[in-house]
Amino acid sequence: VVGTGVIGRSWAIVFARAGCRARLYDRDVQQAEKAAELLLPWKTQISVHTDLASALEGVGYVQENSPESLEIKRQVFRDLDAAADPAAILASSTSAFDMSRIADGLPGARRCIIAHPVNPPHVIPAVEVLSGTATDPDVVERTCAFLASVGQTPVRMHKYIHGFLLNRMQFALVREAISLFEQGVADLDDIDAVIRDGLGLRWALMGPFAVANTNADGGIRQYLTGHEQWLMELMDGLGGTPRVDAGLIARLGDAIDQAPGGARRQELRVWRDRMIARINELKRKEPSPR
Amino acid sequence: VVGTGVIGRSWAIVFARAGCRARLYDRDVQQAEKAAELLLPWKTQISVHTDLASALEGVGYVQENSPESLEIKRQVFRDLDAAADPAAILASSTSAFDMSRIADGLPGARRCIIAHPVNPPHVIPAVEVLSGTATDPDVVERTCAFLASVGQTPVRMHKYIHGFLLNRMQFALVREAISLFEQGVADLDDIDAVIRDGLGLRWALMGPFAVANTNADGGIRQYLTGHEQWLMELMDGLGGTPRVDAGLIARLGDAIDQAPGGARRQELRVWRDRMIARINELKRKEPSPR
C-alpha cells in the first residue's frame, strides 16, 4: 500500500483482514505510524516502511494512493516500475486520470492498471478496474481475481471516461438534487429522505437496470414500453449543471447545518460505515438469487 | 383503499399492519378478492367493498390508486368528494399529476392531497406529500402525521414539479446509466454492480447531501471547495437524454437477459423486498444518530 492516507489505510484493512501480508509505505513517518495504529488487530501481518525499495520487496500487488495530481502519479509510477518485482501488478486508486497517461513511456506500462475504490474500500466493495492502452489483458484478469479474493467487487470498464462510472452516476443524481434544492421544491433533508428511505433501499441490493427489470412482471421491456414519451420528457426537463461556487456551497452548508444531525458528521460517518458492514453481512448470509 | 392493484394492496398492508381498520374498494370484484387473500393475516381488520358509498362509511383517510389518467383521477375524486365524510382526507397515489388539476372545482378541494408512495409502500417507507393550490395546510399536517403513525416517511414537497423528487433523481441516474451502457463504457451488469455494491450502500442510510457532508472532516463545505471546476466539468459532460424507443428497449432487454439473474425477475423481486425489510429493521434497531 503506497500512500497511507484515508484511502490507503482502508485498503490496508481490506488486504490484512483477508489474510494477506501487507506492506505500508509512506514518505511521511507520522502518517504511516497513524496507519499502523489503525491496523493493530493485524499487526503480525503488516509492516511499515519509509523506504520504497524495502517496502516493495517480495510484493505481488501494489495499491497506489498518492495525491490526485498527474505529475505526482507519473513520478510515483516511475519509481514503482523501477523498484518493484517485474511480475508485480501496479494498481492506482486514482479517480481522475487515464492509466495511459500515468504510465506513458514506462517500461512496465503493461502491468499498470486502475483500481479505483469507493470510499472507504474496507466497507464498500465496488472497485472500478480500468486498463491503460498498454495494459496486458492478463493483468486485468489477475487484478479482478485478486480483488475478488480479498472480498471486493471488481467492476470492469471497457474504456476511459471522465469520472468513470461511479462519479458520473453519483453526480448525475447530485446535480438533480442540487437543482431541486435551488428551486425550493423541497427542503434539503426531505430531498435526502427520498433517497435514504426510498431509492437507496433498492439500490443497496440491485442496480438501476435490475430494479427496472423487477419492477414489472414482464421485465425491463414492459417497464419501459408505453412510457417512452413520459420518460424522455422527464429526462429532458431535468435540471442543468449548477454554478458550483462559494454562494452555492454556503447555501448548502447552511441548509445542512440546520438539518437533523448536520453537525454530528463524525458520529454519522461511524454509524454509516458500521451499518454498511451490517448490510453487507445480510447480503453475504442471504445472497441474491442471481 | 380505493383501487386494489399492486400499489393499493401494498397500501392496505401498511394500514392493516399498523393496526388500522382498512376498507378495500374496487369495482372489479376479482381484483378486490385477490387483495383480500393477500391480507388474510389481518382479515379481522379489513373489509372488501364493490360499492363506494359503503366502502367510505366512517373512513377518515382515503388512499386512491386508480390508473394514471387525469380524466379517471378527476372522476374518482368527484365521486370520493361527494361520498366521503367531509372531514376525511382524500389522498392520491399519483406520480404524474398536480392535485390542483385533479381536484379542480371540487367543493372539497381543500382536503385533497397527493401522497405518492415508492413501490411497494409496505416495504419502502418514503411517501411524497404535495398540496394542490386549494389544499388546507392543516390537511398537509394531518396527512404527514398519519403517514408517520403507520410507519411511513412523509417527504414534503413545496411545489409541483414533473416527476416529483423521486422520479427526477431516479431518472437522472438512469439517464446516465443508459448513456454509459450505450457508449459501451461497461457491461450492463457492471454498471449495476457500481450501484448495488457501491453507491447504493451509502444511499440506503443517508441521502446525497448527508453523504457529501460526512465524506470530509470539514463537512459539505470542505467536500465541495477546491473541486468546483472538476465538478462542473463532470456534470456538464454527462450524457444527454437517450432516444427511448423500441431499439433501445430491445438492447436493454437483451443485455439484461444475458446478465446473471436476468430471467429470474420474480425470485429477485421477492428477495429484494425481503432484504429491504431486513435493512429497515436494522435501521429501526440502530437508528441514525441524527
Side-chain angles (χ1 to χ4, degrees), chain A residues 118-119 124-126 153 155-159 161-163 165-173 175-177 180 183-192 194-210 213-215 217-221 223-225 228 230-232 234-239 241-244 249 252-254 256-257 260-262 264-265 267-269 271-272 274-276 278-280 282-283 286-290, chain B residues 118-119 124-126 153 155-159 161-163 165-173 175-178 180 183-192 194-210 213-215 217-221 223-225 228 230-232 234-238 241-242 244 249 252-254 256-257 260-262 264-265 267-269 271-272 274-276 278-280 282-283 286-290:
Chain A
V118 191
N119 192 14
I124 303 190
T153 303
V155 173
R156 287 164 196 247
M157 291 179 62
H158 299 312
K159 51 177 143 179
I161 191 167
H162 184 48
L165 304 169
L166 182 114
N167 276 322
R168 291 181 79 86
M169 288 195 279
Q170 172 161 240
F171 284 99
L173 185 140
R175 177 169 74 173
E176 186 58 23
L180 292 163
Q183 291 176 75
V185 177
D187 293 348
L188 178 139
D189 191 55
D190 282 294
I191 297 171
D192 266 358
V194 170
I195 302 298
R196 69 172 178 259
D197 282 337
L199 291 169
L201 292 168
R202 291 179 187 157
W203 285 338
L205 300 163
M206 48 177 72
F209 294 117
N213 198 41
T214 47
N215 268 352
D217 286 332
I220 198 168
R221 293 179 183 87
Y223 179 75
L224 296 173
T225 303
E228 295 87 345
W230 190 86
L231 283 168
M232 283 195 280
L234 178 61
M235 293 194 271
D236 263 343
L238 293 175
T241 299
R243 196 164 164 71
V244 184
I249 293 173
L252 288 171
D254 291 350
I256 215 147
D257 284 347
R264 284 195 299 284
R265 288 191 283 277
E267 220 180 315
L268 274 168
R269 192 190 326 175
W271 173 81
R272 178 185 88 181
R274 189 176 67 233
M275 295 293 279
I276 291 176
R278 298 236 203 297
I279 295 174
N280 285 329
L282 277 182
K283 287 166 77 175
E286 224 169 307
S288 162
R290 281 157 46 88
Chain B
V118 191
N119 192 13
I124 304 190
T153 303
V155 172
R156 288 164 194 246
M157 291 179 62
H158 299 312
K159 51 179 143 178
I161 190 166
H162 183 49
L165 304 170
L166 182 113
N167 276 321
R168 291 181 79 85
M169 288 195 279
Q170 172 161 238
F171 284 99
L173 185 139
R175 176 169 74 173
E176 186 58 24
I178 291 175
L180 291 163
Q183 291 177 75
V185 177
D187 293 348
L188 178 139
D189 191 55
D190 283 293
I191 298 171
D192 266 358
V194 169
I195 302 299
R196 68 172 178 261
D197 282 338
L199 290 170
L201 292 168
R202 291 179 188 157
W203 285 338
L205 300 164
M206 48 177 72
F209 293 118
N213 198 41
T214 47
N215 268 352
D217 286 332
I220 198 168
R221 293 179 182 88
Y223 179 77
L224 295 174
T225 303
E228 294 88 344
W230 189 85
L231 284 168
M232 283 195 281
L234 178 61
M235 292 194 270
D236 263 344
L238 293 175
T241 298
V244 184
I249 294 173
L252 288 171
D254 291 350
I256 214 146
D257 284 348
R264 283 195 299 284
R265 289 191 281 277
E267 220 180 315
L268 274 168
R269 192 190 326 175
W271 173 81
R272 176 186 89 180
R274 189 176 67 234
M275 294 293 279
I276 292 176
R278 297 238 203 296
I279 295 174
N280 286 328
L282 277 182
K283 288 166 75 175
E286 224 169 307
S288 162
R290 281 156 48 88

Side-chain angles (χ1 to χ4, degrees), chain A residues 117-173:
Chain A
V118 191
N119 192 14
H122 74 281
V123 172
I124 303 190
V127 181
E128 295 179 302
V129 175
L130 177 60
S131 300
T133 45
T135 310
D136 192 323
D138 183 57
V139 168
V140 182
E141 295 306 320
R142 283 164 55 211
T143 301
C144 288
F146 173 64
L147 289 171
S149 77
V150 295
Q152 302 303 101
T153 303
V155 173
R156 287 164 196 247
M157 291 179 62
H158 299 312
K159 51 177 143 179
Y160 174 82
I161 191 167
H162 184 48
F164 304 172
L165 304 169
L166 182 114
N167 276 322
R168 291 181 79 86
M169 288 195 279
Q170 172 161 240
F171 284 99
L173 185 140

